Amino acid sequence: MTDARTALAQAAERFTFSPTARLDAELLLAHALGIERNALLLDLTRPVPDHFWSLVERRAAQEPVAYIIGTRGFWTLDLMVGPGALVPRVDSETLVDAALRHFKGRPPATLLDLGTGPGTLLLALLDEWRGTRGLGVDRSPHALDYAVANAKACGMADRARFVCGDWATALTGPFDCIVTNPPYIGTGETLSHEVRGYEPASALFAGADGLDDYRALAPELRRLLAPGGAAVVEIGHEQAPAVTSLLEEQGFRVALHRDLGDRPRALLAH
């Protein structure tokens, strides 16, 4: 039987499309073995179960690792995720950091996450702000199923509510903090098969220029935000000027926050 060291090398060779081929293989093998990745790395002589290779085949077809193993780490949480829900990205942690910095020492009482997906931003912030109550909105019932399950698994079911809806329709507010990671990819932009072929198009694309949802959201953020509150909006790295203008038209003061790659990633409006 193949040992873990050999299996990892063979699997990584199948994942040349991925910039994290070796990590992908390690996560899949740890999942197949039912252990943490760190435990796997401490003993690479252990035998590999046969069903690992079926996971390798799925990844070789560019299915997201998160969909295969059913979870994705984000901020301090491990979130359940699967088809129909956008996979949490590390770049989105920029929004969590920006919100925590802005509200340092005075956590908001109420939090709204528009386009919450599997509860990504809402639950990460509720885990930091233990006295805050939050509402997550998403148009996808599949994504909300994951969000509800994640809230329960993270012990936040008493502070997190979720509703199925189209952005801010029927919401009255006000909310002290609003976070949102809307679709911002232009319909003609090139994406990897891993993204375009598996993740929900409704969470990715926003018209020809990628700005359609920002145009709809900007006035709603103004309407729903409480006096003294702040909204944090994720953007594509080339969209800061355009989205800043949309927010400034609503009377917001806007500050840019960059991700770990030093790319423009979030706008804080207050």
Side-chain angles (χ1 to χ4, degrees):
M1 182 177 287
T2 307
D3 66 14
R5 180 177 285 103
T6 303
L8 289 172
Q10 292 175 348
E13 288 178 358
R14 300 283 307 281
F15 307 155
T16 54
F17 58 88
S18 171
T20 57
R22 173 71 183 205
L23 174 61
D24 296 353
E26 292 170 359
L27 291 171
L28 293 177
L29 183 51
H31 177 71
L33 290 166
I35 60 176
E36 297 292 327
R37 173 172 166 259
N38 288 343
L40 166 65
L41 297 179
L42 289 173
D43 180 10
L44 294 178
T45 64
R46 68 179 76 231
V48 172
D50 289 340
H51 68 276
F52 167 66
W53 299 107
S54 64
L55 306 184
V56 170
E57 290 301 320
R58 292 172 63 183
R59 181 59 182 147
Q62 298 192 36
E63 183 175 352
V65 172
Y67 284 4
I68 299 172
I69 68 176
T71 62
R72 177 64 173 254
F74 183 83
W75 200 248
T76 58
L77 306 174
D78 283 322
L79 298 176
M80 289 176 277
V81 68
L86 188 72
V87 176
R89 267 79 163 168
V90 67
D91 288 343
S92 297
E93 294 185 357
T94 308
L95 280 74
V96 178
D97 182 69
L100 293 176
R101 289 174 183 270
H102 182 79
F103 288 98
K104 187 175 182 179
R106 52 181 186 90
T110 54
L111 171 65
L112 172 65
D113 182 4
L114 292 171
T116 191
T120 304
L121 297 173
L122 186 82
L123 297 177
L125 284 167
L126 290 182
D127 194 45
E128 297 286 345
W129 295 328
R130 298 303 175 95
T132 301
R133 304 185 73 83
L135 173 65
V137 179
D138 205 284
R139 69 185 65 167
S140 167
H142 299 292
L144 289 177
D145 285 344
Y146 286 106
V148 170
N150 282 323
K152 291 178 181 177
C154 295
M156 301 182 208
D158 59 331
R159 294 191 292 126
R161 283 196 310 121
F162 298 96
V163 296
C164 191
D166 188 13
W167 292 129
T169 302
L171 296 183
T172 56
F175 297 89
D176 299 313
C177 180
I178 302 174
V179 292
T180 182
N181 177 15
Y184 54 74
I185 298 171
T187 50
E189 292 185 42
T190 300
L191 290 178
S192 69
H193 179 65
E194 178 175 355
V195 176
R196 186 182 285 271
Y198 289 94
E199 296 191 68
S202 61
L204 298 170
F205 300 106
D209 62 0
L211 299 174
D212 282 3
D213 287 293
Y214 296 118
R215 296 186 182 101
L217 280 169
E220 297 284 40
L221 296 178
R222 171 50 72 199
R223 177 178 70 84
L224 291 171
L225 200 61
V232 191
V233 181
E234 180 160 338
I235 57 171
H237 67 273
E238 296 180 344
Q239 294 173 322
V243 182
T244 295
S245 294
L246 290 170
L247 294 170
E248 288 178 341
E249 288 172 6
Q250 299 298 320
F252 285 113
R253 289 179 292 160
V254 181
L256 173 66
H257 291 257
R258 295 177 178 271
D259 60 26
L260 293 176
D262 200 36
R263 295 163 297 192
R265 184 58 59 192
L267 297 175
L268 189 141
H270 62 104

